[in-house]
Amino acid sequence: MKTILVTGGTGYIGSHTVVQLLNAGINVVILDNLCNSNKAVIQRIENLTNKSPYFVEGDIRDRTTLRHLFEQYSCDAVIHFAGLKAVGESEENPLKYFDNNVSGSVTLFEEMLRVNVNTLIFSSSATVYGNPGVVCYSESTPLQPINVYGQTKLMVEDILRSLKKSKPDFQIALLRYFNPVGAHESGQMGEDPFGTPNNLMPFISQVAIGTRPQLMVYGNNYPTPDGTGLRDYIHVEDLAAGHLAALNHLGPDNSFITVNLGTGRPYSVLEVIKSFEKASGKTIPYEVVGPRSGDLAEYYADPSFAKTVLGWEAKLGIDRMCADSWRWQKNNPKGYL
Ligand code: NAD
Ligand code: WQD
């Protein structure tokens, strides 16, 4: 039976992936410093799977923790979710992001090398494309991140491309996520941001449950059909399944892949609001304000390579994304607290 180290495994995408790994009969060791997640997630994972992941509370930058972990558990692969992801904060505090996301990743990779764990899946992001002048991004679209967070993701991608050259035995998947949303169908696991949500879906959910009075729609003068921004939202369960597909695909003959994980079908802010209202039966009050700095009008994935190479494609549409987000929010008005 395989054992996989999941860094950031108590976080939003990590927790959903851990459930799918455990359900697939894979042992899981979670390493998370809980800087953006709650330990209560573990109990939810156990409720959903009747299995227990091993949990190590610690930091990917802490070499001693990593050494102990790799001594204690014989890991076959690593799925590396741990990272900071707030674009605005990354601009205000770039060193925090380079330290956590880049130095932390380097420390993790060094310790993997020491113990010959050479299979890795890395959480990259559509942010690595920046503002390339096209709206449909394929994996060969030029990479030019426009914020520090995106730079950290591109730097880790570059580090892994170099590592692969120097250590051909490494098997690496770089997965570029578009806009993950939704929650586990059970309503027991979902996104639980600390403080004010930066992202659209958790903000709408909190308006629907009454935690916040209204949504601010960032701009309605974009060159899009209804003037609001268009994004490629992808259900977190589809995204988690993409990791299992990547894990199955990697092997000596398929040892380095870079794949977009999106649906290829973008939705506008107003369309998301409408779909959420339908799912929840609630009205979402909103006010249109000016555009948010750094936002693009529109972008979405070309998901065809994922289908060809991994046999994976997203199955769940916007109505299901909203229904599952709402079920999670309704059952857990204060998140995991
Ligand atoms: P999240 O914040 O919910 O999960 C990240 C987890 O990593 C958290 O549990 C946090 O406590 C942990 N962590 C952070 N730094 C750590 C460190 N130094 N040591 C140990 N643990 C640490 O975020 P998420 O949405 O689940 O994202 C997971 C990964 O996917 C991140 O790398 C993120 O950059 C990437 N990603 C996310 C999105 C998105 O919109 N959610 C999109 C593209 C890529
Ligand atoms: C979606 C749309 C906003 C909030 C970010 C990161 C990206 C990736 C995913 C990690 C946009 C609009 C939003 C609100 C709004 N993360 N909006 N009111 O900006 O596409 O991507 O998360 O890798 O790197 O940049 O996602 O959910 O913030 O915004 O009108 O309160 O909703 O303008 O059009 P974004 P988002």
Side-chain angles (χ1 to χ4, degrees):
M1 194 192 264
K2 271 194 176 166
T3 298
I4 296 192
L5 168 61
V6 180
T7 74
T10 48
Y12 172 46
I13 305 167
S15 57
H16 289 80
T17 306
V18 167
V19 166
Q20 291 194 18
L21 291 167
L22 291 170
N23 283 338
I26 295 168
N27 287 323
V28 173
V29 182
I30 293 174
L31 172 64
D32 202 301
N33 66 1
L34 302 177
C35 72
N36 199 38
S37 55
N38 194 309
K39 210 174 164 180
V41 171
I42 308 275
Q43 185 60 55
R44 306 292 176 97
I45 292 172
E46 291 175 352
N47 295 347
L48 292 172
T49 61
N50 286 319
K51 292 180 185 161
S52 298
Y54 301 104
F55 176 63
V56 177
E57 183 173 341
D59 199 295
I60 54 165
R61 291 165 295 180
D62 180 355
R63 208 175 281 285
T64 313
T65 296
L66 288 167
R67 282 201 188 160
H68 284 152
L69 188 154
F70 282 126
E71 268 166 28
Q72 197 177 352
Y73 306 102
S74 167
C75 296
D76 300 288
V78 176
I79 306 184
H80 178 30
F81 292 104
L84 301 174
K85 62 169 182 177
V87 171
E89 186 192 39
S90 78
E91 293 289 295
E92 282 154 27
N93 201 344
L95 296 182
K96 179 176 175 185
Y97 274 66
F98 290 120
D99 178 41
N100 198 83
N101 293 5
V102 183
S103 304
S105 295
V106 170
T107 307
L108 172 68
F109 306 154
E110 283 172 344
E111 293 308 314
M112 288 173 65
L113 262 179
R114 268 175 61 89
V115 290
N116 281 317
V117 175
N118 63 3
T119 301
L120 173 74
I121 295 182
F122 173 61
S123 298
S124 189
S125 166
T127 342
V128 295
Y129 296 109
N131 187 359
V134 293
V135 293
C136 177
Y137 300 172
S138 77
E139 288 79 0
S140 56
T141 295
L143 306 175
Q144 232 170 4
I146 52 172
N147 55 59
V148 170
Y149 166 68
Q151 275 179 278
T152 68
K153 289 292 171 188
L154 181 55
M155 286 168 89
V156 177
E157 283 200 5
D158 284 338
I159 287 165
L160 289 172
R161 282 184 273 269
S162 301
L163 178 62
K164 173 66 184 167
K165 270 193 210 149
S166 76
K167 304 277 178 208
D169 286 349
F170 257 77
Q171 299 175 7
I172 299 172
L174 308 178
L175 304 184
R176 296 178 180 151
Y177 316 154
F178 281 67
N179 288 55
V181 297
H184 192 271
E185 197 181 6
S186 63
Q188 284 208 54
M189 271 188 351
E191 188 170 11
D192 180 21
F194 291 170
T196 308
N198 295 312
N199 296 114
L200 180 65
M201 190 68 90
F203 206 106
I204 292 181
S205 303
Q206 292 192 6
V207 173
I209 202 76
T211 308
R212 303 189 185 273
Q214 63 170 12
L215 173 74
M216 245 71 91
V217 173
Y218 296 139
N220 65 355
N221 272 321
Y222 285 112
T224 60
D226 67 20
T228 66
L230 284 164
R231 291 292 181 277
D232 186 338
Y233 299 96
I234 172 169
H235 197 295
V236 67
E237 286 288 317
D238 276 330
L239 191 60
H243 292 72
L244 274 79
L247 209 52
N248 281 335
H249 170 81
L250 285 176
D253 297 331
N254 299 303
S255 61
F256 196 97
I257 47 163
T258 306
V259 187
N260 284 339
L261 294 182
T263 68
R265 160 64 157 110
Y267 285 91
S268 74
V269 177
L270 296 184
E271 286 174 316
V272 176
I273 294 174
K274 207 186 256 175
S275 174
F276 202 97
E277 287 182 330
K278 193 167 84 181
S280 63
K282 304 275 181 188
T283 300
I284 309 295
Y286 68 85
E287 183 187 340
V288 178
V289 298
R292 183 171 62 179
S293 157
D295 270 359
L296 301 182
E298 172 179 9
Y299 63 87
Y300 53 92
D302 173 349
S304 55
F305 186 64
K307 190 170 181 189
T308 310
V309 77
L310 300 180
W312 170 95
E313 65 184 324
K315 295 191 173 74
L316 306 173
I318 191 70
D319 287 342
R320 178 67 189 277
M321 299 178 206
C322 291
D324 288 343
S325 294
W326 173 238
R327 191 176 306 107
W328 153 251
Q329 187 70 68
K330 193 173 46 150
N331 292 354
N332 305 271
K334 295 195 156 87
Y336 287 109
L337 287 184

